[in-house]
């Protein structure tokens, strides 16, 4: 299998060539090691960090921005959104605080990215 | 009551202003921040997606996380922050500037500053500015407004959306609208190539099978109360609509991502010289404007591609403002930078060659180039050279120039880009 990709790890956007030879995955065009692991991952199981918001019970801070602490499979993003949109935050959280232990059947937690204690 | 006196007042507590205040405080100046919104962080508050901070922090952060790091430092240093405080007027005073402000605690009040940093950011180009005329139905929004409605207020502005313009905010909003349950019918770009970063084309459009139509624009909006649809039309190489290629796309929302304009209205009464190419003040490498004691940074100076460079310019402007306020002022000897060839614009527009040291220059290419070469010269002497495999107008380039190389008595410095 052979695939042309644009690396999305940073704004440089390297053009990557990735192909499989037997068990081995070969990557060309990457300017850094992150590009190589991205290309491998993209060929075998594309994953993304999900960033979205969670409803809170505080009128001065109605939505808390959140992200998955790591990447989750691209195909599970909509299931994760369904799950996350049912949550309600009842405490004033700070960046890094866990909102949900495991997102959508993965072992990746959902964490706050903004400081709700700030006023 | 006589107004409180500060060495440095920073207008705007977005990433540029936060960095400027920290730098001014580090340099030993008394400094305060003035912010019109309830919380600091500027536009980063609504940029909940990630990709920020790779240059400055070496890791991928969301907007609020990036802002949090600077806000924590501002708090830790005890820097005074006026929130929900609106700047009404700006004037010269004997020692520098006098600001007339308004907030709910002190009503109308004044501050005096020996030096000012204008970190007022930018605003979005609107429907009228891209010649979308006619009826004014509900459902036509700028991308930043949609971002604010969804991410801060919690409203989905529509169900069936068309996006005009392939700038980064538009691409980010295509993904965001899709994840929140709206249907994005397509992104339409009048130019033959996308305006946004390539990675955003991949992770915001391709991941969700959202079509991108190049050399195509919106020529008409339909509906009186609420938007009912738009007419899209292909354009020729001069961006003129091609008759017969019109197509009607039913939709309830049109999202405009058609460019940003530096916001410097508050500086107009001071008569600050503005560069028509950037829309921001003309500055030197200290980010000093044509008004002594007034410094500019971030997207108010020119629209940046990465927030990391906004912070960098904030640090420079803040440190320069502190030096000015603390009395380290020598009359500058300015040499203009002439941008030649394929350069869209370059910042700074001139260099103070009396200072020596290093100067950071940013530029954008006027069009997509492959195997381009940049040459910096003065009086025929080459001061620096750089080769680029590819350059695209959406991506800003940064170079550092050793100012001790500039020959004495040169009338200008030439920055030339050839494709």
């Amino acid at each position: 299998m052979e695939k042309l990709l644009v690396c999305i790890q940073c704004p440089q956007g390297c053009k990557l060539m990735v192909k499989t030879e037997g068990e081995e995955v070969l990557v060309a065009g990457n300017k850094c090691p992150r590009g190589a692991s991205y290309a491998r991952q993209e060929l075998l199981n594309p994953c993304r960090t999900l960033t979205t918001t969670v409803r809170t019970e505080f009128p001065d801070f109605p939505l808390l921005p959140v992200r998955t602490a790591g990447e989750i499979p691209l195909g599970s993003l909509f299931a994760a959104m369904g799950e996350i949109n049912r949550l309600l935050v009842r405490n004033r959280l700070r960046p890094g605080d866990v909102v949900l232990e495991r997102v959508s059947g993965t072992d990746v937690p959902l964490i706050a990215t903004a400081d709700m204690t700030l006023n | 009551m006589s107004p409180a006196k500060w060495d440095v007042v920073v207008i705007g507590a977005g990433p540029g202003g936060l960095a400027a205040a920290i730098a001014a405080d580090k340099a030993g100046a008394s400094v305060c921040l003035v912010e019109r919104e309830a919380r600091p962080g500027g536009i980063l508050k609504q940029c909940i997606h990630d990709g920020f901070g790779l240059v400055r922090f070496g890791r991928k952060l969301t907007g609020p996380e990036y802002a949090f790091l600077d806000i924590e430092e501002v708090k830790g240093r005890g820097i005074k922050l006026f929130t929900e405080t609106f700047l009404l007027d700006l004037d010269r005073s004997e020692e520098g500037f006098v600001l007339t402000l308004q907030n709910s605690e002190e009503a109308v009040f004044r501050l005096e500053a020996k030096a000012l940093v204008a970190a007022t950011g930018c605003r979005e180009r609107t429907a009228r500015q891209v010649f979308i005329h006619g009826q004014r139905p509900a459902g036509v929004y700028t991308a930043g407004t949609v971002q604010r409605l969804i991410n801060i207020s919690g409203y989905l502005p529509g169900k069936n959306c068309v996006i005009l313009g392939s700038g980064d905010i538009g691409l980010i909003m295509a993904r965001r609208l899709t994840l929140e349950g709206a249907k994005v019918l397509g992104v339409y770009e009048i130019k033959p190539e996308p305006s946004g970063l390539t990675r955003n084309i991949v992770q915001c459009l391709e991941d969700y099978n959202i079509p991108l139509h190049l050399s195509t624009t919106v020529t008409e909006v339909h509906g009186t109360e609420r938007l009912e649809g738009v007419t899209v039309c292909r354009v020729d190489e001069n961006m003129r609509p091609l008759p017969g290629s019109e197509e009607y796309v039913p939709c309830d929302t049109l999202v405009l991502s058609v460019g940003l304009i530096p916001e410097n209205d508050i500086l107009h009464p001071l008569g600050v010289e503005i560069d028509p190419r950037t829309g921001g003040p003309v500055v030197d490498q200290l980010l000093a404007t044509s008004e002594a004691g007034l410094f500019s940074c971030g997207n108010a100076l020119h629209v940046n591609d990465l927030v990391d460079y906004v912070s960098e310019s904030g640090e420079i402007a803040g440190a320069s403002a502190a030096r000015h306020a603390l009395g380290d002022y020598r009359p500058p000897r300015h040499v203009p930078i002439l941008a030649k060839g394929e350069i869209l614009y370059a910042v700074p527009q001139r260099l103070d060659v009396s200072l020596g040291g290093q100067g950071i220059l940013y530029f954008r290419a006027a069009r997509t180039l492959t195997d381009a070469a940049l040459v910096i010269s003065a009086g025929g002497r080459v001061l620096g050279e750089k080769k680029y495999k590819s350059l695209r107008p959406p991506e800003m380039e940064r170079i550092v120039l050793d100012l001790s190389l500039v020959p004495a008595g040169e009338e200008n410095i030439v920055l030339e880009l050839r494709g």
Side-chain angles (χ1 to χ4, degrees), chain B residues 293-316:
Chain B
L294 175 65
F295 299 81
S296 174
C297 65
N299 284 349
L301 176 59
H302 66 117
V303 175
N304 288 249
D305 62 343
L306 301 181
V307 66
D308 306 64
Y309 298 130
V310 167
S311 301
E312 180 177 59
S313 69
E315 285 164 11
I316 296 169

Side-chain angles (χ1 to χ4, degrees), chain B residues 98-122:
Chain B
V98 58
L99 297 86
T100 308
L101 301 140
Q102 183 179 34
N103 67 20
S104 59
E105 254 171 64
E106 306 193 47
V108 176
F109 67 109
R110 296 199 296 170
L111 295 179
E112 274 189 35
K114 289 180 187 161
L116 275 184
V117 178
T120 41
C122 59

Side-chain angles (χ1 to χ4, degrees), chain A residues 50-52 74 77-82 85, chain B residues 146 150-151 155-163 169-187 200-211 253 255:
Chain A
L50 176 63
T51 62
T52 181
L74 182 57
L77 291 185
F78 284 97
M81 282 299 293
N85 281 346
Chain B
V146 172
I150 297 180
N151 293 346
Y155 298 112
L156 193 61
K159 296 274 170 61
N160 291 293
C161 312
V162 162
I163 298 182
I169 319 168
L171 301 176
I172 298 283
M173 290 327 293
R175 172 175 66 183
R176 189 77 188 110
L177 283 160
T178 307
L179 282 170
E180 289 293 356
K183 174 92 185 139
V184 177
L185 303 161
V187 175
N200 286 333
I201 303 289
V202 177
Q203 64 183 356
C204 298
L205 301 187
E206 290 173 14
D207 275 2
Y208 301 92
N209 299 313
I210 298 167
T253 306
V255 181

